[in-house]
Amino acid sequence: MGPGARETHISTILFTADRAFKLLKPVDSGFVDHRTVEARLQAADREVELNRRFAPDVYLGTADVIENGVLVDRMIVMRRLPADRSLTSIIARGELTEDHLRSTARTVAAVHANLPPIHERDGPGSRAVQRENWEDSFAQLVDYIGPVLDEGDDWRIVDLTRRSLDGRAELFDQRVSGGHIRDGHGDLLADDIFCLDDGPRILDCLAFRDDLRIGDGLSDIGFLAMDLHRLAGPGPATTLLRYYREFSGEIHPSSLAHHYVAYRAHVRCKVSCLRWRQGAQEFGAVARMYHRMTLDQLERARPR
């Protein structure tokens, strides 16, 4: 594939034959503010540092952008990976196998195992922070209820989430004390996982806010399970979680996995709404799909 470009809600990526150069947009999206040069410089350095935990041979460093002798921006420089080896492309061709799921789950579990556990009782990963994250997401979606999202579904999502959190105090405490909270990836998507001959490369972790990246390892892999459910159906998503449980050696109720998948779907709903507001009207349908997925997973996560 020749040179080109790709755009997300907070970045633009420019491609050459063997490199990818990522520029952060000078925008305030509500949850990240990159409007100043200094903010973008710091964010670029931090993104390279954090992503090297998952793919050290892909994140090569940074390159400064100079205009008339003045530093105006900083690009993240990456080795370009073959697009046809991304999990998304593999799924689109109908070539997804258990080997892909097994190797990805093993890679994620290995990174998690090498990260120190975080035992803060009221820190990231705790029930209190989970509740705060959900409530923040609810507030950020208020303007889209009606124009994009169904009001009845939203009311049900809010109600089920609050009841789910109310019924799981002991479980969330056990996850913290048991050492399951890690500074992980935070944004595991099939687009950013490349299955190479010598193993997967995982790119583009959530670098702009530590509190959104730190959490239960099950929530981290749950993000990818959510994306696999969207792209390939519930079977591969369930298989991925089964392999992660095997490689991580941890035990959890299935309802907790559903809860985390629901939260990750709600996050993607929020991102899709932002893209819709920026003028990409097709993301309205994508946001509704994620909203319905959130509701379905919360129904499955209800405390019995």
Side-chain angles (χ1 to χ4, degrees):
M1 183 181 294
R6 184 165 68 89
E7 186 176 357
T8 73
H9 58 296
I10 60 172
S11 67
T12 301
I13 305 173
L14 308 174
F15 297 101
T16 63
D18 62 350
R19 293 288 185 269
F21 300 89
K22 182 176 181 179
L23 275 168
L24 302 174
K25 291 181 179 179
V27 299
D28 180 0
S29 65
F31 52 87
V32 58
D33 187 350
H34 286 157
R35 288 175 295 178
T36 68
V37 172
E38 185 60 30
R40 295 195 299 280
L41 299 183
Q42 293 179 3
D45 290 341
R46 182 67 168 153
E47 189 161 331
V48 171
E49 175 189 0
L50 290 169
N51 278 293
R52 279 178 169 167
R53 301 173 304 162
F54 290 88
D57 62 341
V58 175
Y59 283 81
L60 305 178
T62 60
D64 289 344
V65 180
I66 308 293
E67 291 183 2
N68 298 320
V70 178
L71 176 61
V72 297
D73 225 322
R74 180 165 290 158
M75 295 185 293
I76 298 159
V77 184
M78 296 172 281
R79 178 165 65 98
R80 187 176 184 180
L81 300 180
D84 64 345
R85 303 299 290 273
S86 75
L87 263 182
T88 299
S89 297
I90 291 169
I91 293 168
R93 294 194 302 270
E95 297 175 356
L96 183 68
T97 68
E98 282 212 15
D99 284 343
H100 294 120
L101 301 173
R102 184 187 301 110
S103 62
T104 299
R106 182 173 58 239
T107 298
V108 175
V111 173
H112 285 171
N114 286 325
L115 297 170
I118 298 171
H119 292 290
E120 297 176 26
R121 185 176 179 85
D122 295 318
S126 67
R127 186 177 64 145
V129 172
Q130 285 289 311
R131 187 186 300 276
E132 183 178 316
N133 290 342
W134 273 106
E135 295 295 341
D136 285 348
S137 284
F138 296 152
Q140 290 167 8
L141 284 183
V142 166
D143 291 341
Y144 304 102
I145 306 304
V148 181
L149 306 173
D150 182 80
E151 182 177 4
D153 286 351
D154 190 69
W155 179 89
R156 182 68 172 159
I157 286 170
V158 173
D159 179 61
L160 284 172
T161 300
R162 289 171 177 167
R163 285 201 282 151
S164 178
L165 290 168
D166 288 342
R168 287 189 167 88
E170 184 177 353
L171 176 59
F172 280 106
D173 287 346
Q174 289 172 349
R175 299 297 292 180
V176 175
S177 62
H180 298 295
I181 310 305
R182 297 285 197 277
D183 185 341
H185 187 282
D187 197 27
L188 280 170
L189 292 170
D191 273 350
D192 299 320
I193 297 175
F194 293 79
C195 297
L196 307 184
D197 292 343
D198 59 347
R201 301 298 192 277
I202 300 175
L203 312 185
D204 203 23
C205 79
L206 194 156
F208 55 81
R209 272 182 59 179
D210 293 350
D211 61 321
L212 297 181
R213 190 181 60 254
I214 298 172
D216 196 320
L218 180 59
S219 178
D220 215 21
I221 196 70
F223 210 141
L224 182 56
M226 174 273 300
D227 208 33
L228 287 175
H229 189 287
R230 174 181 68 91
L231 293 168
T238 300
T239 299
L240 177 80
L241 291 172
R242 173 168 56 82
Y243 278 124
Y244 177 79
R245 185 170 60 245
E246 175 184 331
F247 290 123
S248 66
E250 65 106 338
I251 299 173
H252 58 264
S254 61
S255 59
L256 183 63
H258 288 303
H259 176 93
Y260 283 137
V261 172
Y263 174 67
R264 296 309 194 174
H266 203 257
V267 169
R268 296 310 296 178
C269 175
K270 180 172 60 178
V271 170
S272 299
C273 285
L274 288 171
R275 295 299 305 275
W276 176 84
R277 187 177 67 184
Q278 292 173 346
Q281 295 298 305
E282 67 273 17
F283 277 89
V286 177
R288 287 188 289 274
M289 179 274 296
Y290 281 123
H291 207 233
R292 289 190 294 270
M293 185 187 296
T294 302
L295 178 56
D296 175 67
Q297 291 293 314
L298 285 171
E299 292 283 6
R300 297 171 186 272
R302 283 187 298 167
R304 305 298 181 183

